[in-house]
Amino acid sequence: MRGQRRLPLEQIIGRIDRRLVYAGLFLITLAPLVGRWALPLYVTPPPKMLADTINALPQDKLVFISSNWDAGTQAENRPQMTVLVRHLIRRRLKFASISIGAPNAPQLANAAIEQAIQLEKVPWVYGQDWVNLGYKLATEPWLRSFVRQIPEAVKEDWKGTPVDQIPVMRGVQKFGPDGQASMLIDITGSATIDGWYRYLSPTGVKLGLGCTAVMAPEQYPFLDSGQLSGLLTGMKGAAEYEQIIGAQGFGTTAMAGQSFAHLYILILIILGNLSLVLGWLERRRRRR
Amino acid sequence: MWTLTGFKFILAIVGAVAGAVLLLAILHQASHQVKRTLTIALTFIGGLFYFLEFFIPPDPKTEEAVLFGWSLTQAAEVVGNATLVIGGFTFLLGVFSLVHIHGNNVRRRRPGWSYSLAFFAAFLVMTVFAFWKDWQTWFGGPAAPAWVNDQNLAHAAMPQDVYTLLFEGLVRNLDATMFSILAFYIVSAAYRAFRIRSGEAAVLMVVALVLMMGQVPLGMALTNWIPSDGPWSGLRIESLSQYVLTAINAPVQRAIGFGLGLGALAMAMRIWLSLERGTYFGQEV
């Protein structure tokens, strides 16, 4: 329109309407999920360490999965849980799921395990090959009791069946080299791993961790010290693990979405800073 | 361990409640000095118990810490259960507080009172169906109808009852939605606020760029042309990202952890010995 002043470039790129920013993120994350795009992924050492540890576990011992994620972090934790269970099934390792971090976790864990069993297309029977021990309030005394004598701390599964009536739990007494449980993998969206470090590490049992991406930087010292036998970092960790065991799943597909979302954020940050520089140049030009 | 049933069980509960009320009544009448001394003494004894239980070397046979023939390890479980019971009261307090606040909102028609009404509806519906579903398992009595507790094995993956609808259909998705909204705020905040105005901000930006792109396949594709083996492999973005995480981040995390540990130890000592002053510690109880 005649007489209306055109907005300078730095204002156009520096003041994009937030609704447009939101819509852009929504579309850019959704497109790869709908199109089922998959991008090649480079496997980093932490997931490889976890896979190697699981590959070396004896088949006559039980693996515990401490499933402590809620719906809020399921985008990252559910693919981790599914791919780890798929690996355990392929290795014929029996496992028990137990939750100490979120009361809703047993139900979500159950759904993820059943999905993994379906994907593997093998008969993996509840009670004989795996069990869901439900939610336990992990106070310090409970943790100590669980580490010392598992049946003292866990008396029934999540549906109330006594553990002595569950075949997979028969004879399972304790962790460690002379125990019947060889490893515990904590899949978590909160700080539940701290309790396992304190009480489980001294038993010599292998500890693995799948956590959200924001939690991972805190865990690298434990990876260095050998207290952690492997680490899955957010959705990327799940995608890398899917690549390691050759079982493409939701993690690989969703990583494409995350890739574009990261790129989108970087472009927006660059645009914001470009606006800053252009504004600064403009002010300098006016001063002259 | 004592196991009471029937009339004795009810009598024990009534006795425990009556005893607790009597104790609270006596404490309420006591002077400030007595209450304070009692609080300090109980705090010290509680701390001392766990201190001894942790530091006394366990018996090699039983793996229990024993003091004068008394197994502190076994006692710790009883004390732990007592702590859980006290924790249970805080749950009741939380429910009371929610009902009180939202009840006032509805009664006085405060702005947004309809949301408070939604709280009561959600609370009531979830409580009723969650208890009804498992009532028979916990307390006996008649079985819940199929629309409340679907036991059909054909529906094992997704039971067709009200509780599953509420949990799987509402709670789970609402929870995930709340968390997902964060992503939109982060994008908006990064765009509007992440301005490089100093050298430190520039360093932060470069590290953020390396880490963000090092986490995703698209970023890795940027440096895919560099051989993954050999002297130049360290310049691939995923290698740079791992270097930042292991060589820079890990030592810093250790330092922070060490500082936090020392701080927590000092704080624990101050609380245990009742040296702490300030809110709740120096006031009348």
Side-chain angles (χ1 to χ4, degrees):
Chain A
M1 196 183 288
R2 188 181 286 271
Q4 194 172 31
R5 198 168 63 88
R6 276 182 62 197
L7 278 174
L9 182 65
E10 79 263 17
Q11 287 196 19
I12 295 171
I13 61 172
R15 293 181 190 173
I16 302 172
D17 191 289
R18 69 172 189 279
R19 282 162 295 192
L20 279 177
V21 172
Y22 293 162
L25 178 67
F26 179 71
L27 292 174
I28 221 158
T29 315
L30 191 68
L33 291 175
V34 174
R36 294 195 160 273
W37 303 344
L39 297 169
L41 198 68
Y42 174 82
V43 176
T44 51
K48 184 82 175 54
M49 286 164 65
L50 187 58
D52 289 344
T53 307
I54 291 177
N55 282 332
L57 291 178
Q59 283 186 318
D60 58 339
K61 291 192 179 185
L62 195 70
V63 175
F64 271 86
I65 301 175
S66 177
S67 173
N68 302 310
W69 48 282
D70 213 333
T73 61
Q74 69 173 343
E76 293 181 279
N77 292 132
R78 184 170 170 147
Q80 294 174 344
M81 179 97 182
T82 309
V83 74
L84 280 167
V85 170
R86 290 182 75 175
H87 192 196
L88 294 178
I89 293 173
R90 285 182 185 188
R91 282 234 49 234
R92 301 270 156 206
L93 290 165
K94 296 181 178 185
F95 60 86
S97 169
I98 191 163
S99 306
I100 60 167
N104 293 340
Q107 198 155 344
L108 296 168
N110 220 65
I113 292 168
E114 279 171 0
Q115 186 198 8
I117 295 169
Q118 264 182 351
L119 287 169
E120 284 304 303
K121 297 185 179 78
V122 290
W124 204 250
V125 183
Y126 183 85
Q128 286 177 18
D129 302 308
W130 70 283
V131 65
N132 187 344
L133 297 172
Y135 174 69
K136 311 289 170 197
L137 201 56
T139 56
E140 300 283 316
W142 184 87
L143 282 169
R144 269 186 302 196
S145 170
F146 180 68
V147 169
R148 202 176 55 243
Q149 275 291 322
I150 295 166
E152 273 182 22
V154 182
K155 305 209 183 292
E156 55 195 26
D157 76 347
W158 77 315
K159 294 288 186 190
T161 311
V163 287
D164 53 11
Q165 292 175 20
I166 302 170
V168 72
M169 288 300 291
R170 275 190 203 133
V172 178
Q173 295 291 320
K174 54 196 245 186
F175 288 93
D178 57 338
Q180 297 75 33
S182 58
M183 185 174 190
L184 184 136
I185 308 165
D186 191 11
I187 301 174
T188 183
S190 56
T192 48
I193 188 71
D194 294 345
W196 299 128
Y197 285 142
R198 279 200 302 280
Y199 291 105
L200 217 49
S201 285
T203 66
V205 74
K206 301 282 181 194
L207 258 181
L209 175 66
C211 62
T212 56
V214 289
M215 289 167 59
E218 289 173 24
Q219 305 305 328
Y220 275 84
F222 299 99
L223 205 60
D224 278 352
S225 67
Q227 277 166 286
L228 269 187
S229 301
L231 172 68
L232 298 187
T233 301
M235 196 186 285
K236 176 182 169 252
E240 288 178 31
Y241 208 91
E242 284 171 8
Q243 191 156 321
I244 293 168
I245 66 163
Q248 190 176 326
F250 179 76
T252 309
T253 314
M255 272 314 286
Q258 203 178 76
S259 281
F260 288 107
H262 278 206
L263 192 67
Y264 181 65
I265 294 173
L266 280 176
I267 290 169
L268 284 174
I269 291 172
I270 290 167
L271 282 181
N273 281 285
L274 193 63
S275 146
L276 183 79
V277 173
L278 287 175
W280 177 69
L281 288 173
E282 176 65 18
R283 279 193 299 278
R284 211 169 77 154
R285 190 180 62 81
R286 278 186 199 156
R287 274 201 297 269
R288 278 180 185 169
Chain B
M1 189 181 282
W2 299 331
T3 307
L4 299 176
T5 50
F7 180 69
K8 283 184 182 173
F9 175 68
I10 293 167
L11 201 67
I13 290 177
V14 173
V17 171
V21 169
L22 187 70
L23 187 67
L24 282 173
I26 294 168
L27 281 175
H28 193 66
Q29 296 302 317
S31 69
H32 171 60
Q33 189 57 39
V34 171
K35 284 180 197 168
R36 188 176 154 72
T37 310
L38 203 63
T39 308
I40 290 172
L42 285 175
T43 307
F44 181 75
I45 291 167
L48 185 69
F49 173 78
Y50 279 111
F51 178 86
L52 292 174
E53 199 276 329
F54 188 83
F55 280 105
I56 289 177
D59 185 277
K61 284 179 190 163
T62 58
E63 293 183 13
E64 289 179 3
V66 180
L67 183 70
F68 305 124
W70 185 43
S71 169
L72 294 179
T73 307
Q74 283 184 17
E77 283 178 31
V78 179
V79 177
N81 287 340
T83 315
L84 282 183
V85 173
I86 294 168
F89 282 106
T90 59
F91 177 74
L92 206 64
L93 192 70
V95 172
F96 172 77
S97 175
L98 276 171
V99 170
H100 181 68
I101 290 168
H102 289 283
N104 276 343
N105 286 351
V106 174
R107 204 157 41 87
R108 295 179 186 172
R109 297 284 193 278
R110 284 183 182 143
W113 65 273
S114 54
Y115 300 118
S116 296
L117 208 60
F119 157 75
F120 279 112
F123 187 82
L124 196 72
V125 169
M126 199 68 195
T127 307
V128 167
F129 284 101
F131 272 102
W132 194 359
K133 179 176 179 284
D134 290 320
W135 189 269
Q136 193 189 32
T137 315
W138 296 335
F139 308 109
W147 61 277
V148 176
N149 186 13
D150 186 4
Q151 300 275 28
N152 189 344
L153 289 176
H155 304 152
M158 182 63 76
Q160 294 174 5
D161 54 38
V162 179
Y163 174 79
T164 310
L165 176 75
L166 290 170
F167 185 81
E168 296 284 344
L170 280 172
V171 176
R172 193 173 140 183
N173 297 323
L174 286 172
D175 199 357
T177 305
M178 288 297 289
F179 208 76
S180 307
I181 286 171
L182 267 179
F184 291 89
Y185 286 134
I186 288 169
V187 169
S188 182
Y191 168 56
R192 281 167 214 291
F194 203 160
R195 298 286 192 261
I196 303 171
R197 294 177 199 274
S198 64
E200 290 90 339
V203 171
L204 189 67
M205 177 68 205
V206 171
V207 175
L209 189 132
V210 168
L211 282 178
M212 281 176 74
M213 295 319 283
Q215 296 291 312
V216 291
L218 209 60
M220 295 174 190
L222 292 175
T223 53
N224 232 356
W225 51 274
I226 300 174
S228 56
D229 295 317
W232 300 104
S233 63
L235 293 177
R236 285 171 71 113
I237 201 148
E238 63 272 15
S239 305
L240 286 173
S241 170
Q242 276 298 307
Y243 175 78
V244 170
L245 284 168
T246 52
I248 300 173
N249 161 69
V252 172
Q253 293 290 350
R254 268 188 217 108
I256 293 171
F258 194 70
L260 279 175
L262 283 177
L265 186 66
M267 193 66 200
M269 291 296 286
R270 287 183 68 81
I271 292 173
W272 181 29
L273 301 173
S274 293
L275 297 171
E276 190 60 24
R277 293 287 177 270
T279 315
Y280 303 121
F281 291 96
Q283 293 176 351
E284 186 166 334
V285 284

